């Protein structure tokens, strides 16, 4: 275990989604005294966070650009997830990562794009492979018949988000992480330079650093401090299906298959997760879910006959007018880590590392 007792600054992290939990875990292990506040903190499911609805698909090496901040964060995250999950496993908290992601092409245009991407990434030394239609036919149960080819990415895949969140929480608590059940309603900088945070009900907490990982609530908390960082809600729906009796078990399937933007994730005991839709606003559209299940009329028989076991939905925070995610030191001791939109599970380690590095370096403003 890495514990450095040189640092005893108190850090208050607001929001126990994957980003707040990963940041708290990392800071606590470096010897900071961390308090993590969330109205959902006490529950076993950490319900309330967008993270608890996520499918946990990693689309890092298959990202469409191969330079810039978004690319660097993805590459760093893939590396850190590997190291941090080994660390957690050594503490008796193994994470289930299903390796491999297969991106399917449904049109000639998509086929060309995947061919180009595979060539470019191979040139850059990344282990992407182009799978022919014949290779796709090795997979059982069968993929949509319209799939023309697939791009297989072995370092991408799928991680169980709830399990990862529980692991950060329990290992963090073992190292002294304090979890507080409550909703922050106001932030104020004291004359000493420290921060005072007020919870609903009137209780106050003080800390040298505040990390805002409160998803969609973040702009309201920043408003009274004069910082404008708007985010909008984008809803997603997902379902769990049970394969029909007699359907073949998943064979040669990677951790996730992506068909026309829809993720298919094989689960144990003949189950499958299917998602996610992109719906502006906060209200779920039942029609979108129907479309998801119909698979644009291309669903293989086993999928059409699968039984709906459960459905859920969640909100993603998309920054308005700025690229995702929002990672900034806004003023002395105030760190922003939100707006991860569609990739918060993948990007959580790189974001947590970014937060930790700024606090370690005592950076007071990064705009
Ligand atoms: C259906 C769906 C599927 C997805 N699939 C994927 C995927 O496959 N791969 C991927 O990488 N990403 C995926 N995402 C996106 C991912 O879930 C988000 O990017 C990620 O959850 C963002 O994490 P976060 O910690 O920033 O925010 P959140 O998880 O939203 O957490 C914010 C936390 O802040 C707390 N909070 C809010 N207000 C306050 C307050 N005033 N005081 C204290 N606490 C507060 C909330 O209770 C919450 O727990 C998916 C999202 C959805 C909805």
């Amino acid at each position: 275990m890495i514990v450095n007792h040189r640092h005893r600054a108190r850090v208050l992290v607001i929001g126990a989604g994957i980003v707040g939990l990963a940041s708290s875990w990392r800071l606590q292990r470096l010897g900071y005294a961390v308090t993590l506040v969330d109205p959902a903190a006490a529950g076993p499911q950490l319900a309330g966070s967008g993270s608890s609805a996520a499918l946990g698909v990693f689309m890092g090496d298959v990202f469409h650009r191969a330079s810039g901040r978004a690319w660097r964060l993805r590459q760093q995250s893939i590396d850190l997830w590997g190291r941090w999950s080994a660390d957690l496993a050594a503490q008796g908290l193994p994470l289930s990562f299903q390796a491999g992601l297969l991106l399917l092409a449904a049109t000639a245009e998509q086929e060309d794009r995947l061919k180009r991407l595979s060539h470019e990434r191979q040139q850059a030394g990344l282990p992407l492979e182009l799978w022919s239609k014949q290779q796709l036919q090795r997979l059982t149960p069968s993929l949509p018949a319209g799939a023309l080819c697939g791009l297989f990415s072995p370092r991408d895949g799928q991680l169980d988000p709830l399990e990862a969140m529980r692991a950060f929480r329990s290992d963090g608590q073992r190292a002294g992480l304090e979890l507080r059940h409550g909703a922050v309603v106001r932030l104020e900088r004291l004359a000493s330079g420290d921060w005072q945070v007020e919870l609903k009900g009137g209780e106050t907490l003080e800390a040298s650093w505040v990390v805002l990982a409160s998803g969609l609530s973040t702009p309201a908390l920043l408003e009274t401090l004069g910082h404008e960082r708007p985010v909008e809600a984008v809803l997603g729906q997902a379902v769990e299906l049970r394969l029909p009796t007699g359907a073949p078990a998943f064979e040669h399937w990677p951790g996730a298959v992506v068909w026309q933007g829809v993720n298919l994730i094989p689960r144990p005991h003949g189950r499958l997760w299917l998602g996610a839709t992109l719906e502006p606003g906060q209200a779920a559209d039942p029609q979108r879910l129907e479309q998801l299940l119909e698979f644009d009329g291309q669903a293989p028989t086993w999928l059409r006959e699968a039984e709906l076991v459960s459905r859920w939905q969640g909100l993603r925070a998309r920054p308005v007018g700025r690229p995702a995610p929002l990672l900034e030191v806004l003023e002395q001791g105030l760190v922003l880590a939100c707006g991860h939109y569609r990739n918060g599970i993948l990007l959580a380690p790189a974001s947590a590392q970014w937060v930790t590095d700024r606090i370690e370096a005592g950076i007071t403003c990064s705009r």
Side-chain angles (χ1 to χ4, degrees):
M1 171 170 318
I2 317 155
V3 177
N4 178 349
H5 290 289
R6 280 182 300 127
H7 307 285
R8 298 309 303 168
R10 176 155 292 280
V11 184
L12 200 130
V13 179
I14 306 175
I18 189 89
V19 175
L21 278 161
S23 304
S24 301
W25 174 76
R26 190 75 196 130
L27 287 162
Q28 188 69 48
R29 283 186 125 220
L30 287 169
Y32 290 89
V34 184
T35 304
L36 174 59
V37 190
D38 193 306
Q45 291 303 323
L46 298 156
S49 75
S51 308
S52 56
L55 299 175
V57 174
F58 288 9
M59 293 184 70
D61 284 351
V62 297
F63 186 56
H64 59 276
R65 280 196 304 272
S67 62
R69 172 181 177 260
W71 170 253
R72 283 196 303 277
L73 287 173
R74 279 166 174 75
Q75 290 298 301
Q76 189 191 8
S77 254
I78 291 176
D79 179 49
L80 286 175
W81 265 125
R83 290 198 269 142
W84 291 6
S85 50
D87 249 13
L88 289 165
Q91 304 302 319
L93 295 163
L95 304 184
S96 330
F97 178 67
Q98 312 302 324
L101 176 129
L102 181 64
L103 204 53
L104 298 174
T107 63
E109 199 185 340
Q110 288 174 8
E111 189 177 18
D112 283 347
R113 198 177 69 78
L114 293 192
K115 282 181 179 163
R116 259 199 322 275
L117 201 59
S118 120
H119 178 71
E120 279 166 23
R121 297 295 141 92
Q122 283 167 4
Q123 298 281 310
L126 290 172
L128 263 58
E129 295 167 20
L130 197 67
W131 286 6
S132 65
K133 204 170 168 62
Q134 290 70 35
Q135 279 171 295
L136 298 181
Q137 282 162 358
R138 282 192 303 132
L139 273 64
T140 56
S142 56
L143 298 172
L148 299 174
C149 73
L151 182 64
F152 176 68
S153 174
R155 297 200 315 157
D156 289 318
Q158 190 264 343
L159 178 89
D160 186 329
L162 279 177
E163 192 181 58
M165 286 159 65
R166 283 192 213 106
F168 285 136
R169 182 174 66 176
S170 34
D171 197 47
Q173 282 182 300
R174 256 194 319 231
L177 169 67
E178 188 195 352
L179 231 75
R180 291 295 286 268
H181 176 262
V184 172
V185 291
R186 205 170 57 89
L187 299 168
E188 188 187 340
R189 185 120 71 99
L190 302 171
S192 63
D194 280 357
W195 287 90
Q196 187 178 70
V197 164
E198 185 183 331
L199 304 187
K200 193 172 171 192
E203 190 189 350
T204 57
L205 304 168
E206 286 182 24
S208 307
W209 291 86
V210 170
V211 179
L212 271 161
S214 36
L216 287 162
S217 310
T218 310
L221 291 175
L222 286 176
E223 211 174 276
T224 50
L225 299 170
H227 300 291
E228 242 188 82
R229 293 292 181 278
V231 293
E232 62 188 0
V234 180
L235 187 133
Q237 301 190 65
V239 295
E240 181 170 285
L241 303 173
R242 187 186 293 123
L243 269 53
T245 319
F250 290 106
E251 246 184 79
H252 306 298
W253 272 59
V257 172
V258 185
W259 166 257
Q260 303 274 58
V262 178
N263 297 311
L264 291 100
I265 297 152
R267 302 289 296 166
H269 315 299
R271 310 260 174 139
L272 179 84
W273 283 356
L274 204 75
T277 53
L278 286 178
E279 301 165 43
Q282 308 213 3
D285 177 351
Q287 253 188 344
R288 295 277 194 132
L289 190 64
E290 291 303 317
Q291 281 164 3
L292 185 77
L293 292 170
E294 280 169 15
F295 238 63
D296 278 341
Q298 298 237 22
T301 312
W302 63 268
L303 194 54
R304 281 203 307 273
E305 291 176 353
E307 178 197 343
L308 183 67
V309 177
S310 61
R311 62 174 76 180
W312 65 94
Q313 64 190 56
L315 298 174
R316 313 167 179 92
R318 176 163 62 185
V320 178
R322 290 168 196 261
L326 297 173
L327 297 173
E328 283 179 75
V329 183
L330 292 171
E331 53 185 281
Q332 188 190 329
L334 184 64
V335 187
L336 177 63
C338 79
H340 286 73
Y341 187 35
R342 299 174 76 172
N343 294 290
I345 308 300
L346 168 62
L347 296 180
S351 297
Q353 188 64 46
W354 187 93
V355 167
T356 308
D357 288 348
R358 294 314 171 280
I359 294 178
E360 283 274 271
I363 289 173
T364 53
C365 190
S366 73
R367 279 178 293 158

